[in-house]
mmCIF file of all heavy atoms in Angstrom:
data_model
loop_
_atom_site.group_PDB
_atom_site.id
_atom_site.type_symbol
_atom_site.label_atom_id
_atom_site.label_comp_id
_atom_site.label_asym_id
_atom_site.label_seq_id
_atom_site.Cartn_x
_atom_site.Cartn_y
_atom_site.Cartn_z
ATOM 1 N N GLY A 401 2.111 1.171 -0.382
ATOM 2 C CA GLY A 401 2.981 2.320 -0.412
ATOM 3 C C GLY A 401 3.717 2.630 0.868
ATOM 4 O O GLY A 401 4.331 3.693 1.010
ATOM 5 N N ILE A 439 6.200 15.016 7.949
ATOM 6 C CA ILE A 439 5.148 16.109 7.792
ATOM 7 C C ILE A 439 4.254 15.976 9.008
ATOM 8 O O ILE A 439 3.653 14.854 9.322
ATOM 9 C CB ILE A 439 4.330 15.879 6.502
ATOM 10 C CG1 ILE A 439 5.313 16.096 5.312
ATOM 11 C CG2 ILE A 439 3.172 16.867 6.454
ATOM 12 C CD1 ILE A 439 4.635 15.889 3.971
ATOM 13 N N ASP A 444 -2.355 14.571 11.752
ATOM 14 C CA ASP A 444 -1.613 13.464 11.191
ATOM 15 C C ASP A 444 -0.059 13.755 11.244
ATOM 16 O O ASP A 444 0.340 14.967 11.175
ATOM 17 C CB ASP A 444 -1.980 13.325 9.707
ATOM 18 C CG ASP A 444 -1.201 12.237 9.008
ATOM 19 O OD1 ASP A 444 -1.062 11.161 9.627
ATOM 20 O OD2 ASP A 444 -0.800 12.397 7.831
ATOM 21 N N TYR A 448 8.018 10.174 5.136
ATOM 22 C CA TYR A 448 8.288 9.795 3.754
ATOM 23 C C TYR A 448 9.733 9.453 3.645
ATOM 24 O O TYR A 448 10.611 10.193 4.037
ATOM 25 C CB TYR A 448 7.905 10.913 2.808
ATOM 26 C CG TYR A 448 6.440 11.200 2.824
ATOM 27 C CD1 TYR A 448 5.849 12.015 3.813
ATOM 28 C CD2 TYR A 448 5.582 10.605 1.867
ATOM 29 C CE1 TYR A 448 4.445 12.211 3.811
ATOM 30 C CE2 TYR A 448 4.196 10.772 1.940
ATOM 31 C CZ TYR A 448 3.640 11.589 2.930
ATOM 32 O OH TYR A 448 2.297 11.797 2.976
ATOM 33 N N LEU A 474 5.116 11.882 -4.059
ATOM 34 C CA LEU A 474 5.510 10.435 -3.933
ATOM 35 C C LEU A 474 5.015 9.692 -5.201
ATOM 36 O O LEU A 474 5.718 8.859 -5.720
ATOM 37 C CB LEU A 474 4.883 9.850 -2.693
ATOM 38 C CG LEU A 474 5.428 8.540 -2.212
ATOM 39 C CD1 LEU A 474 6.893 8.670 -1.820
ATOM 40 C CD2 LEU A 474 4.627 8.010 -1.025
ATOM 41 N N ASP A 493 7.932 17.675 -20.835
ATOM 42 C CA ASP A 493 7.084 16.515 -21.338
ATOM 43 C C ASP A 493 5.933 16.303 -20.379
ATOM 44 O O ASP A 493 6.015 15.432 -19.479
ATOM 45 C CB ASP A 493 8.006 15.325 -21.466
ATOM 46 C CG ASP A 493 7.304 14.082 -22.028
ATOM 47 O OD1 ASP A 493 6.038 14.182 -22.257
ATOM 48 O OD2 ASP A 493 7.998 13.079 -22.225
ATOM 49 N N THR A 494 4.848 17.035 -20.519
ATOM 50 C CA THR A 494 3.743 16.972 -19.609
ATOM 51 C C THR A 494 3.037 15.624 -19.698
ATOM 52 O O THR A 494 2.415 15.167 -18.697
ATOM 53 C CB THR A 494 2.728 18.112 -19.825
ATOM 54 O OG1 THR A 494 2.315 18.082 -21.217
ATOM 55 C CG2 THR A 494 3.400 19.455 -19.529
ATOM 56 N N ILE A 511 4.203 22.080 -12.990
ATOM 57 C CA ILE A 511 5.458 21.473 -12.556
ATOM 58 C C ILE A 511 6.578 21.805 -13.570
ATOM 59 O O ILE A 511 7.667 22.191 -13.221
ATOM 60 C CB ILE A 511 5.308 19.969 -12.297
ATOM 61 C CG1 ILE A 511 4.448 19.687 -11.106
ATOM 62 C CG2 ILE A 511 6.711 19.279 -12.137
ATOM 63 C CD1 ILE A 511 4.012 18.209 -10.947
ATOM 64 N N SER A 528 25.367 22.637 -11.009
ATOM 65 C CA SER A 528 24.528 23.848 -11.013
ATOM 66 C C SER A 528 25.338 25.025 -11.574
ATOM 67 O O SER A 528 26.544 24.921 -11.691
ATOM 68 C CB SER A 528 24.020 24.131 -9.601
ATOM 69 O OG SER A 528 25.073 24.435 -8.799
ATOM 70 N N GLY A 538 38.896 28.710 -15.565
ATOM 71 C CA GLY A 538 39.630 29.734 -16.327
ATOM 72 C C GLY A 538 38.887 30.109 -17.614
ATOM 73 O O GLY A 538 37.721 30.426 -17.597
ATOM 74 N N LEU A 550 24.503 32.993 -25.192
ATOM 75 C CA LEU A 550 24.141 32.993 -26.604
ATOM 76 C C LEU A 550 22.892 32.052 -26.852
ATOM 77 O O LEU A 550 22.407 31.903 -27.956
ATOM 78 C CB LEU A 550 25.276 32.507 -27.475
ATOM 79 C CG LEU A 550 26.440 33.489 -27.630
ATOM 80 C CD1 LEU A 550 27.614 32.828 -28.351
ATOM 81 C CD2 LEU A 550 25.996 34.733 -28.331
ATOM 82 N N ASN A 559 29.735 19.935 -22.750
ATOM 83 C CA ASN A 559 30.265 18.770 -23.490
ATOM 84 C C ASN A 559 31.193 19.205 -24.598
ATOM 85 O O ASN A 559 32.254 18.558 -24.818
ATOM 86 C CB ASN A 559 29.116 17.992 -24.127
ATOM 87 C CG ASN A 559 28.376 17.140 -23.087
ATOM 88 O OD1 ASN A 559 28.916 16.823 -22.036
ATOM 89 N ND2 ASN A 559 27.128 16.857 -23.336
ATOM 90 N N SER A 563 35.660 18.672 -24.700
ATOM 91 C CA SER A 563 36.334 17.966 -25.785
ATOM 92 C C SER A 563 37.501 18.787 -26.407
ATOM 93 O O SER A 563 38.304 18.236 -27.173
ATOM 94 C CB SER A 563 35.336 17.569 -26.870
ATOM 95 O OG SER A 563 34.859 18.724 -27.560
#
Side-chain angles (χ1 to χ4, degrees):
I439 296 178
D444 182 42
Y448 293 84
L474 197 62
D493 184 355
T494 56
I511 291 168
S528 65
L550 290 172
N559 285 336
S563 69

